[in-house]
Amino acid sequence: MGTTRPIKDLDQIKKFRNYYIDTEYKPRNYALLVVGLNSALRISDLLSLKWQDVCDGKSFRKHIIIVEKKTGKENVIAINRSAAEALFTYYQTLDHPSLGDYIFESRKVANKPIDRYQAYRIIRKAAVACGLGKNISCHSLRKTFGYHAWQNGVPPAMLMSIFNHSSYNITRRYLGIEQDDKDKVFRTISL
């Protein structure tokens, strides 16, 4: 069994995140990928989001405030432009959703979100179609956020706080640092 990996290539991320807009028009699935990539939430927390967590009925909030299921800790996440646009695109396709409705609502079970396995199928379908290999799963969304934040200079201590990790070693594994990443550092530093 392989290890879940982040998506490191920005062009692959773009193709992956846009699969459900460009190839199959499924705004819910598109929003799942985009919000997952931009929030660093665990899939269980992502699926538990309701519309009231992201909007007040008139406009989208600036932050998601959630108590994480795994840690029991409160986490405040800024809703960036990409996530807000994906949510807005999806929201516009719905017929007057209630603020108490789940964002990623199941089409088979009333008043319930899709389950983890359905989220996995949505992610895997886009990953396979985009040629991303077998090690892309629900957790890849969270790991992709971390990897690109790290690549953009976010200190590991900040990522540890964002992820609510209890140790730096856990965060370091999330980043998926490989020899190519180490080589880049040595090539960049020329003293």
Side-chain angles (χ1 to χ4, degrees):
M1 181 168 169
T3 302
T4 296
R5 312 296 287 165
I7 305 168
K8 295 182 177 182
D9 182 87
L10 292 174
D11 290 333
Q12 286 182 322
I13 291 172
K14 184 177 180 182
K15 187 176 177 184
F16 170 73
R17 72 184 286 268
N18 292 337
Y19 175 78
Y20 287 108
I21 289 294
D22 296 341
T23 305
E24 291 184 33
Y25 188 72
K26 295 185 177 177
R28 180 197 66 186
N29 298 353
Y30 169 69
L32 177 72
L33 297 183
V34 174
V35 175
L37 286 167
N38 287 282
S39 68
L41 285 170
R42 289 177 185 88
I43 197 67
S44 58
D45 294 322
L46 185 63
L47 298 179
S48 73
L49 291 176
K50 296 185 176 188
W51 285 109
Q52 65 197 10
D53 297 320
V54 299
C55 67
D56 63 12
K58 296 178 183 172
S59 62
F60 281 88
R61 300 183 190 286
K62 295 187 185 305
H63 295 90
I64 297 169
I65 301 171
I66 189 167
V67 175
E68 294 180 340
K69 290 181 179 186
K70 182 175 180 177
T71 65
K73 297 177 186 176
E74 183 178 88
N75 200 350
V76 179
I77 299 145
I79 301 173
N80 69 16
R81 191 182 88 248
S82 293
E85 287 174 358
L87 288 166
F88 183 71
T89 297
Y90 175 37
Y91 190 81
Q92 287 185 307
T93 67
L94 301 173
D95 186 26
H96 306 294
S98 164
L99 292 178
D101 291 347
Y102 288 99
I103 295 173
F104 306 109
E105 194 164 59
S106 171
R107 293 189 178 114
K108 294 182 179 180
V109 183
N111 302 318
K112 293 284 184 188
I114 61 173
D115 62 25
R116 293 173 65 94
Y117 188 66
Q118 179 62 18
Y120 172 79
R121 286 194 302 255
I122 290 166
I123 291 163
R124 286 295 306 146
K125 184 173 185 178
V128 168
C130 296
L132 293 176
K134 63 182 178 185
N135 294 333
I136 303 299
S137 69
C138 296
H139 223 53
S140 295
L141 304 179
R142 185 169 157 91
K143 287 185 173 191
T144 298
F145 174 89
Y147 178 81
H148 287 280
W150 172 72
Q151 285 285 304
N152 283 294
V154 174
M158 176 61 76
L159 289 172
M160 188 176 156
S161 176
I162 287 169
F163 288 137
N164 268 329
H165 285 160
S166 58
S167 77
Y168 173 69
N169 285 335
I170 295 169
T171 303
R172 191 183 66 198
R173 278 188 308 220
Y174 258 62
L175 300 179
I177 299 169
E178 295 176 351
Q179 188 61 47
D180 289 345
D181 300 307
K182 293 178 187 179
D183 291 350
K184 185 177 175 183
V185 171
F186 285 108
R187 286 189 204 104
T188 302
I189 306 300
S190 182
L191 305 172

